[in-house]
Amino acid sequence: MVRSVKWRKILLVLVAVLAVAGIGGVVTAVLAYHEVTKIDRTEPLVVLDEYLDAVLVRKDQVGAELYECSGESNLAALAALRTQLDERERSFGVEVLITWGAMSQAGRISPIVATTELTVVALQGGSEQSRSSQAWRFRLVDQDGWRVCAAERTAVATPLPSAA
């Protein structure tokens, strides 16, 4: 009978150790997953690139909101562009592709202004029907990481001052 109690204690300790190890493994996995999937808002131009991808390419409003300012913002012009392009796709039976070129930023302290040129290409049956370019200016603010707060189309690409 004494041997039976001894083995029960050993088995109980072994089960407890395995349970703690399992819980520790799950916690470690969840923390590692969180770190890998965390949104990086440390670089303003990376944030702008992700924002443009969400709004103009993926058409993902929820994804776009992850990169938008909290509170007041002026992003209606970019939303209007997306709506206009969607209407053209439906009306003319084309596929509209949007890309952007190199981005420039003025300053490193919040708020900053970034510029890029959007290229809009309409494809029908795999062949290019039209192509246009538009210069855009964006204002980004550091709100616990960079966020896009304003977007406006400019007449021509605006050169940014050099950091000389």
Side-chain angles (χ1 to χ4, degrees):
M1 189 163 232
V2 174
R3 288 184 94 171
S4 175
V5 173
K6 181 178 179 182
W7 281 109
R8 269 193 252 180
K9 286 182 182 178
I10 290 173
L11 186 59
L12 185 62
V13 169
L14 184 60
V15 167
V17 167
L18 289 175
V20 169
I23 291 171
V26 168
V27 168
T28 301
V30 167
L31 291 175
Y33 176 79
H34 174 71
E35 191 62 32
V36 168
T37 60
K38 179 172 63 174
I39 296 174
D40 181 12
R41 293 188 189 95
T42 58
E43 291 297 324
L45 296 184
V46 172
V47 168
L48 179 57
D49 183 68
E50 290 294 325
Y51 178 73
L52 291 174
D53 184 58
V55 172
L56 299 175
V57 178
R58 295 189 329 258
K59 303 175 189 177
D60 177 10
Q61 183 58 36
V62 173
E65 289 172 358
L66 297 172
Y67 299 98
E68 292 177 359
C69 284
S70 59
E72 195 167 324
S73 62
N74 184 12
L75 300 167
L78 196 63
L81 173 66
R82 177 73 266 163
T83 301
Q84 178 187 44
L85 296 175
D86 288 343
E87 288 172 3
R88 286 186 182 177
E89 283 182 323
R90 284 190 299 277
S91 297
F92 298 110
V94 296
E95 178 185 7
V96 176
L97 302 176
I98 305 169
T99 58
W100 45 95
M103 298 178 183
S104 304
Q105 81 179 51
R108 296 286 309 159
I109 300 171
S110 182
I112 67 157
V113 173
T115 59
T116 191
E117 189 170 295
L118 301 180
T119 301
V120 180
V121 178
L123 300 174
Q124 189 170 40
S127 64
E128 186 175 310
Q129 298 299 308
S130 68
R131 175 182 294 264
S132 66
S133 295
Q134 305 174 3
W136 281 76
R137 179 176 33 236
F138 301 88
R139 186 172 57 84
L140 290 92
V141 174
D142 190 353
Q143 293 178 339
D144 191 29
W146 290 98
R147 314 273 179 158
V148 180
C149 296
E152 66 178 332
R153 185 174 175 183
T154 59
V156 292
T158 307
L160 295 174
S162 63

